[in-house]
Amino acid sequence: GKNPVVGNSTELKNVVLFDNVQVPHYNYVGDSILGYKAHMGAGSITSNVKSDKTLVTVHIPDAPIETGRKKFGAILGDNVEVGCNSVLNPGTVVGRCSNIYPVSCVRGVVPANSIYKAKGNIVAKSKENSMENEAPCCFYIFLLLRKLADVYPFNAFEYLNSSSRFSSIAQI
């Protein structure tokens, strides 16, 4: 995307960054999608491989999505803020306009307009602190691509990089 901030000692591998993403320092982002204006605090990482080396599943309530991939990091929606030194485990999805407290270990799905404080302690943002009318979340693009992949197998990262419909998206 346009105007990304990729700072000192940050490593990116097979990622899609939407416009104005910030990964300013000491981050690892692998096999992940970061939505518009997503920001990862210093030292936060997206873990992209499970310790048992099995395929990654995105654990959406009542509808888990099998990625078919050994390496799959996280999907951050638009305007997500990840606190310093947090770990986003493989297959983590953070809905748009959500915040992750510093030093968190996140697994599964964090709903949009939420604050992740700790495991089992996720609270909804108050109406005045939410950004419900912001640009569409990249998470919906992922769901669309996943549905298409069920019918037409393809690599979503390659598709996003090569498609003229997503010309503002860059794969780094």
Side-chain angles (χ1 to χ4, degrees):
K2 296 178 184 173
N3 305 313
V5 174
V6 178
N8 182 47
S9 298
T10 293
E11 182 180 349
L12 304 177
K13 183 194 142 298
N14 294 334
V15 299
V16 176
L17 302 179
F18 280 66
D19 293 347
N20 302 306
V21 165
Q22 296 181 1
V23 283
H25 34 247
Y26 303 105
N27 306 104
Y28 173 76
V29 183
D31 302 287
S32 299
I33 301 172
L34 279 59
Y36 173 76
K37 285 192 177 179
H39 174 261
M40 293 185 66
S44 59
I45 66 167
T46 63
S47 176
N48 60 340
V49 178
K50 292 172 61 174
S51 60
D52 63 4
K53 309 294 189 247
T54 59
L55 301 179
V56 177
T57 300
V58 178
H59 293 282
I60 296 174
D62 300 324
I65 297 173
E66 299 292 333
T67 65
R69 302 178 66 91
K70 269 188 161 177
K71 292 187 175 186
F72 188 94
I75 299 175
L76 305 184
D78 301 333
N79 298 294
V80 165
E81 291 283 339
V82 177
C84 295
N85 295 314
S86 292
V87 175
L88 305 177
N89 283 289
T92 296
V93 176
V94 182
R96 68 181 183 167
C97 306
S98 291
N99 296 73
I100 307 296
Y101 269 20
V103 198
S104 294
C105 183
V106 183
R107 182 181 313 280
V109 176
V110 177
N113 296 304
S114 297
I115 301 171
Y116 183 99
K117 295 182 176 186
K119 183 178 179 181
N121 188 2
I122 302 172
V123 298
K125 286 186 175 181
S126 61
K127 281 286 188 192
E128 58 270 6
N129 290 329
S130 68
M131 302 174 87
E132 292 178 4
N133 296 322
E134 287 293 325
C137 178
C138 67
F139 174 61
Y140 297 111
I141 293 172
F142 168 75
L143 289 180
L144 172 65
L145 291 173
R146 189 66 215 142
K147 192 67 172 170
L148 288 172
D150 291 341
V151 180
Y152 305 104
F154 66 100
N155 182 318
F157 291 108
E158 289 174 13
Y159 177 77
L160 285 170
N161 192 44
S162 64
S163 175
S164 61
R165 291 183 180 166
F166 297 100
S167 60
S168 66
I169 301 170
Q171 180 178 1
I172 297 175

